[in-house]
Amino acid sequence: MGDSEGDLLNSPPMEKLGAGGYLSVWKDYGVYGIVGAVVVGILIPLVLSSVFMGKKKEKQRGVPVQVGGEAGYAVRNAQASELVEVPWEGATTMAALFEQSCKKNSQYNFLGTRKLISKEFITASDGRKFEKLHLGDYEWQTYGEIFDRACNFASGLVRLGHNLDSRAAIFSDTRPEWFIALQGCFRQNITVVTIYASLGEDALIHSLNETQVSTLICESKQLKKLAAISSGLESVQNIIYFEDDGTENDISVSGSMSNWTVSAFSDVEKLGKTSPVHPSLPSKNGNAVVMYTSGSTGLPKGVMITHGNIVATAAAVMMVVPNIRRSDIYLAYLPLAHVFELAAESVMLAAGCSMGYGSTLTLTDTSNKIKKGTKGDASVLKPTIMTAVPAILDRVRDGVLKKVEEKGGSAKNLFNIAYKRRLSAVEGSWLGAWGLERMLWDVLVFKRIRALLGGGLRFMLCGGAPLSADSQRFINICMGAPIGQAYGLTETFAGATFSEFDDTTVGRVGPPAPCCYIKLVSWEEGGYKSTDKPMPRGEIVVGGFSVTAGYYKNQEKTNEAYKVDEKGMRWFYTGDIGQFHPDGCLEIIDRKKDIVKLQHGEYVSLGKVEAALSTSNYVDNIMLHADPFHNYCVALVVPSHQALEKWAQQAGINYRDFSELCDKAETVSEVQQSLSKAAKTAKLDKFETPAKIKLLPEAWTPESGLVTAAFKIKREQLKAKFKDELQKLYG
Ligand SMILES: *[C@@H]1O[C@H](CO)[C@@H](O)[C@H](O)[C@H]1NC(C)=O
Ligand SMILES: *[C@@H]1O[C@H](CO)[C@@H](O)[C@H](O)[C@H]1NC(C)=O
Ligand SMILES: *[C@@H]1O[C@H](CO)[C@@H](O)[C@H](O)[C@H]1NC(C)=O
């Protein structure tokens, strides 16, 4: 969300999360299982619920509050009459939080990784090679050990000659050394620049140059790429690389790297260990991180995140996750260069949890890089807390459902009964969640699905993009874990709103996080007012301790999006449109910049219409286009292969390939009718419904640059690529 919206995933090949063959076990229960399940599961609760019938009382989660700045409707978290700023007294910076937590938890496990046992290549029938890994158990280092390593690295950086007035950058996938390097830099008051690993070369050069980075910390596999662009990296003097497990680490320094001092991470640690340097600790308002994320347009902007921002979000999330504690195990696998993962790991550090590192490619037993018959990260680690982005959860759901469909027969029936029963329990009264029935379904059905993610999950944090109601329910039921949905942006260091674990509604993002206020400011042009009934609506504006210091070397953009009120509180204008429910929970309903005014003066909200039209099962992806010089909209549609081919077969349409099918007038007309139906259901106006459409046979992928890694469409890129098609639609 926001301009630097959630490019959360390193384009994870998400089918790899798919549900393997674990559903086959269901068959064994056969018909007796079902009969027993029906008796225990349906009849007993029915009798009981008629005895105890009572209505759930609605809990107040956010309350209106008087605040400074621009007029609007403001809400605070119901638990925090004063905004929380620190997780505990004295933890005012990340450096202080790290040191104090490491001292407190010194002999407990902190960071864990899996040792590589063997690696092999498998050649597919089409000749492509796939790497398959056999990974061992997690090996742990304690809080005390990690603290020492961060101190050593900090000293080593100084001994290496890093200029303490310049910045260091980390450009790497998520791994323990990333976190250690970050904490090491903080101990010398060095600002760390983070760059999202999937950003292109231009963005990388731009970010490093804009921040004048002198030390670049990366993975050994990136050295070649960096050497190739070394002429653009004018400010870089030192390169520190993380060594790889199981590969030769003798790095040949090529000619173009001759101006750089290239060192292995472990050598820098050794250097620091033999000649320690006093720490030079940062202050609360100092820049901890300059985070570059891709926006939907243009070059990436660097968001200046202070130490105070990070500890405030950590404090807020600790209040929201129920009873988070030392015994919790967290599976870390999303990109650390993204605010969501960095915030989550900061919370785990503050709570004294252990963090096992993994990756999207090795997450489950059936993940792509996991050697057949060996275990994925989740089944070895058995995490109690995980983060996820909607795209991943959608794939998990689709994978499980596909497997259920394939099994068919009694397994499918059992699943469907169980799912329906649990669904009505979750959506209905609390009584439905009643223990015995739930236990029964868990044993009969859901236990095997839960094993996919280790079986011990008790809480899931979800952020980055709106989660569909279906997926939220599915994870609630099948994984048996509540989902905390977070809404936030890099500019608010993730923390803006956070849904509570006992909130079973869908489609909302919860009350304001305890570290900030959320205000809705009227946007007259778009027709959203903070005085609207029954719910106040308007642009979402976030104020408080998690609001960052602005964009690096970009005062103009900073002034556009941030305002400081008369009391000195910083407010960030998100550009998202929201409404507050009576219980103080926020719902995101629109996006400001996606609104176009047509020739006759009607406003079209592109996002709203796209969401409505996407309910047609012919639509895989859609971009609505509105041109102020016309009085109607058009749309580019990527149709679902499966749905369209099924229709063509039934309608007796002959075609050579999918592309030809898309071009046929009958096909276009069929999809258009389906869109009109969807538009009617959503009560869209005529001018909002696309008058003409073009079907595009090729999917939009993050690799093609047409959608973000979180699969949100990139309008500018799509408009440029399909300029001719759009022109024809208006022709
Ligand atoms: C780096 O930034 C400076 C201005 O600060 C600019 O003159 C120079 O062209 C930039 N170099 C690259 C490689 O972008
Ligand atoms: C090394 O730096 C010098 C001066 O700073 C420059 O002239 C030279 O081109 C650089 N060499 C490489 C290989 O980048
Ligand atoms: C940390 O570094 C910044 C500049 O990089 C400086 O302004 C600030 O005073 C330093 N903080 C401390 C506590 O030395």
Side-chain angles (χ1 to χ4, degrees), residues 25 41 318 452 496 505 582 588:
V25 201
M318 277 177 77
L452 171 68
T505 60
I588 317 284

Side-chain angles (χ1 to χ4, degrees), residues 346-505:
S346 305
V347 173
M348 302 309 146
L349 161 70
C353 309
S354 27
M355 297 202 267
Y357 283 83
S359 76
T360 46
L361 292 171
T362 56
L363 205 57
T364 69
D365 296 356
T366 52
S367 289
N368 228 31
K369 268 199 171 183
I370 290 294
K371 184 179 162 187
K372 219 173 164 174
T374 70
K375 297 239 171 273
D377 304 329
S379 24
V380 177
L381 184 67
K382 302 197 188 326
T384 60
I385 299 179
M386 258 182 88
T387 40
V389 291
I392 285 197
L393 297 183
D394 288 349
R395 300 293 161 125
V396 170
R397 188 198 63 191
D398 293 350
V400 172
L401 288 180
K402 196 169 142 218
K403 216 70 208 181
V404 169
E405 199 57 43
E406 277 169 23
K407 288 282 161 216
S410 61
K412 183 174 154 189
N413 289 338
L414 183 57
F415 177 85
N416 287 339
I417 295 175
Y419 193 82
K420 278 213 190 84
R421 286 295 302 162
R422 290 295 306 138
L423 185 63
S424 59
V426 172
E427 286 179 341
S429 72
W430 277 110
L431 204 53
W434 181 69
L436 186 55
E437 181 186 358
R438 181 175 175 164
M439 237 158 63
L440 177 88
W441 294 128
D442 283 355
V443 170
L444 274 182
V445 177
F446 299 121
K447 207 171 144 203
R448 326 216 164 232
I449 301 181
R450 280 170 204 170
L452 171 68
L453 295 177
L457 211 57
R458 71 175 190 90
F459 196 75
M460 192 119 179
L461 295 116
C462 186
L467 179 64
S468 72
D470 279 355
S471 289
Q472 184 179 338
R473 281 285 179 256
F474 192 85
I475 299 297
N476 282 158
I477 291 168
C478 294
M479 294 299 160
I483 294 183
Q485 260 201 88
Y487 162 74
L489 307 94
T490 310
E491 289 89 339
T492 62
F493 194 65
T497 73
F498 206 109
S499 70
E500 291 169 8
F501 74 100
D502 59 352
D503 186 353
T504 55
T505 60

